[in-house]
Amino acid sequence: MLFASSPVQAQAIGEVDTVFKLFGPDHKIVVDAFDDPKVKGVTCYVSRAKTGGIKGGLGLAEDTSDASIECKQVGPVSFVGDPLRQQETVFTERTSLVFKKLQVVRMVDKARNTLVYLSYSDRVIEGSPDNSITAVPLPTGTAIPMR
């Protein structure tokens, strides 16, 4: 799990089995949470499919592109470090051994004073159009510092 050059740690919240596998772990839906590294007070929850079986147990399986995201204001909002860019990757997690990853991108809707988070899966050769989006409107009077 990487954020540009510094790691963003996701916290496992829970999981449910979706398919029983006789050998290796079951197929699952996992839910993780991570805090936006530049926006204190905003936490994102990502649910995604995790492939089980023998390949999944060995870390060789490729997870599907199905993922969902919900980001919420969980405390007072403040900004850390440099001003925000219009669009910036805030979370990345590999979903296959080499070629595929889940990404979360934060976009700024300055006109509505809102942070928009998009989750999608990309691949070295061909990504997927499967995506999920959520928005966090900031309190009136909370200015978003922009580059």
Side-chain angles (χ1 to χ4, degrees):
M1 294 169 258
L2 301 172
F3 160 70
S5 61
S6 64
V8 170
Q9 295 297 318
Q11 177 185 1
I13 300 300
E15 61 185 40
V16 296
D17 290 352
T18 57
V19 175
F20 171 76
K21 300 302 275 181
L22 186 58
F23 299 104
D26 294 344
H27 293 325
K28 303 175 187 301
I29 297 173
V30 298
V31 177
D32 295 323
F34 70 91
D35 298 323
D36 186 320
K38 288 191 175 180
V39 185
K40 282 191 172 192
V42 173
T43 298
C44 294
Y45 299 88
V46 177
S47 67
R48 62 181 180 81
K50 185 155 180 73
T51 304
I54 294 171
K55 282 186 178 181
L58 295 173
L60 302 174
E62 182 173 300
D63 295 336
T64 67
S65 297
D66 304 316
S68 181
I69 188 167
E70 181 71 22
C71 298
K72 292 290 186 184
Q73 180 182 342
V74 296
V77 173
S78 61
F79 299 92
V80 179
D82 296 332
L84 301 184
R85 295 180 182 182
Q86 175 61 39
Q87 182 171 312
E88 185 172 9
T89 300
V90 295
F91 181 79
T92 301
E93 183 173 72
R94 287 189 8 207
T95 55
S96 77
L97 186 60
V98 177
F99 300 110
K100 193 173 181 183
K101 58 189 169 184
L102 171 69
Q103 296 202 59
V104 176
V105 174
R106 177 195 340 98
M107 300 172 191
V108 178
D109 180 352
K110 188 87 169 157
R112 292 164 192 81
N113 206 41
T114 298
L115 301 174
V116 178
Y117 295 84
L118 169 71
S119 69
Y120 69 99
S121 182
D122 75 352
R123 199 173 191 180
V124 172
I125 303 296
E126 181 180 340
S128 169
D130 294 340
N131 67 82
S132 184
I133 192 169
T134 185
V136 179
L138 299 182
T140 303
T142 302
I144 301 173
M146 298 282 300
R147 281 188 187 188

